[in-house]
Amino acid sequence: MTRPPSSSGSARRVRCRCGRTVLRQLVGNRAALDVTADADELTAAAAAALREPNRLDWCVHLRKGGPALQWADCHRREAECTRPHVIDHQCTAPPTAPARPGRTRKTSVPEGQLALG
Ligand SMILES: [Zn+2]
């Protein structure tokens, strides 16, 4: 019996608010991470150089269904991974204002805490 490929499919190419093309995919089996990565492919070394504590790089496995992002644990296994890597997308678009409900009441929050000079 062959198990159908389930949760970790392939990455979807979508356009971000900021206009860049990004790859989106749920990566991981147990605790899947909703990854949004730049679609630009980098070498493993270049991607590793861009890594930050909150910015991970991903190893791109080419599958039948398209590119699939995997944890870049290849950094530990191999001196240099030959697969393309991508790096987490850092969005340059301004944050969207939270959708305002139709009826907004004046908040009764004391202003002392919130008002910043
Ligand atoms: Zn963006």
Side-chain angles (χ1 to χ4, degrees):
M1 283 222 308
T2 53
R3 289 202 302 172
S6 56
S7 56
S8 63
S10 56
R12 287 187 308 153
R13 216 169 249 272
V14 295
R15 176 68 69 91
C16 181
R17 291 185 293 120
C18 65
R20 287 197 66 160
T21 302
V22 295
L23 299 173
R24 295 210 57 186
Q25 189 193 322
L26 285 174
V27 178
N29 296 321
R30 276 177 299 177
L33 205 63
D34 190 4
V35 174
T36 302
D38 282 346
D40 304 337
E41 293 182 354
L42 306 164
T43 64
L50 289 171
R51 270 177 93 115
E52 291 169 21
N54 292 316
R55 196 182 192 197
L56 300 174
D57 71 315
W58 303 94
C59 189
V60 181
H61 293 231
L62 290 174
R63 300 230 180 100
K64 276 182 289 183
L69 308 180
Q70 302 275 303
W71 289 101
D73 53 2
C74 47
H75 287 310
R76 273 177 264 158
R77 279 204 299 266
E78 305 164 44
E80 195 161 348
C81 182
T82 54
R83 293 191 181 93
H85 279 224
V86 292
I87 188 91
D88 272 345
H89 174 61
Q90 286 194 328
C91 194
T92 55
T96 47
R100 284 215 225 156
R103 281 169 287 166
T104 42
R105 289 175 57 203
K106 272 198 170 178
T107 55
S108 55
V109 179
E111 291 193 344
Q113 290 295 321
L114 296 174
L116 299 172

